[in-house]
Every structure is written in structure tokens, then in C-alpha cells.
Amino acid sequence: MSHPVIMNQPQIVTVQRSDWQTGLFDCCDDCGVCLCGIFCPLCLGCQIASDMDECCFFGSSMAMRSVYRTKYGIPGSLLGDFCAVMCCGLCATCQLKRDINKRRDMGMF
């Protein structure tokens, strides 16, 4: 009986932990994002989805926030994402867009 020969060891990918670039209620950090969120939240959600190469329908959802948080090692939980989106959806959407913009400016997105 022949056994397969392993040529390479599996690689372990570690995600560097970080925090949100701005707080949930730091709307004044980027007034353009805030105004877009107030007057056209669907447009802001579509911008987020486009940034993340996802369907526009999922732009400001709990799932999108969770995927983003996991990708960048931002501490939190599904319950926290759910509460942020359900209790303060506009603030959560603006926070996500501000974070994307700041990470893009730093060359991390």
C-alpha cells in the first residue's frame, strides 16, 4: 500500500488584530459619509458593497459588517454586529464606510 508524500506543510494564516478606525458615533470624523448616510443610506450601502466586491443588496447588513470585522481582525461578535445594525443601523453603516475609507488611505484595504 502506497502512502502519499506530503511536500508542503499547511500554512496557518493569522489575522492581525486591530480596532475600528473610528467609533460607532464618530459621525463628525467624515461629514461626507455622514451626510450621504443621512440623505441616501441606500447609496452608502451600495458604495460599501461595491468596495467589498459584494452585491449591493448586502451593503449595510450584519453579515457584511461581520465579514469586514473578521477580515481585519476587529474584535467583536455576531451579537454585537446584530445590535449595532439593528439598534443604530445608520451609525453602523457610516462607521463601516469610514473604516473602509481610512484603511484605503493607509493602503491597508
Side-chain angles (χ1 to χ4, degrees):
M1 178 179 235
S2 149
H3 295 285
V5 176
I6 298 174
M7 300 301 286
N8 294 319
Q9 292 295 322
Q11 299 296 318
I12 297 173
V13 177
T14 58
V15 176
Q16 185 176 5
R17 291 181 58 93
S18 66
D19 287 320
W20 290 102
Q21 301 297 308
T22 62
L24 186 61
F25 302 111
D26 291 342
C27 293
C28 293
D29 280 4
D30 189 330
C31 291
V33 169
C34 183
L35 291 172
C36 183
I38 290 170
F39 293 110
C40 193
L42 293 176
C43 295
L44 188 59
C46 286
Q47 287 177 17
I48 291 168
S50 176
D51 290 339
M52 295 182 64
D53 294 326
E54 295 290 341
C55 174
C56 187
F57 180 72
F58 300 112
S60 59
S61 69
M62 181 193 114
M64 188 71 73
R65 183 178 174 87
S66 297
V67 166
Y68 184 85
R69 187 178 49 72
T70 302
K71 179 177 180 179
Y72 289 100
I74 299 169
S77 66
L78 290 175
L79 179 61
D81 295 333
F82 176 80
C83 290
V85 170
M86 295 309 288
C87 296
C88 200
L90 182 58
C91 293
T93 302
C94 290
Q95 180 188 35
L96 182 54
K97 182 60 178 165
R98 286 191 311 269
D99 203 271
I100 289 170
N101 291 346
K102 286 188 181 269
R103 288 183 193 273
R104 183 176 285 136
D105 290 344
M106 294 185 298
M108 297 171 51
F109 183 79

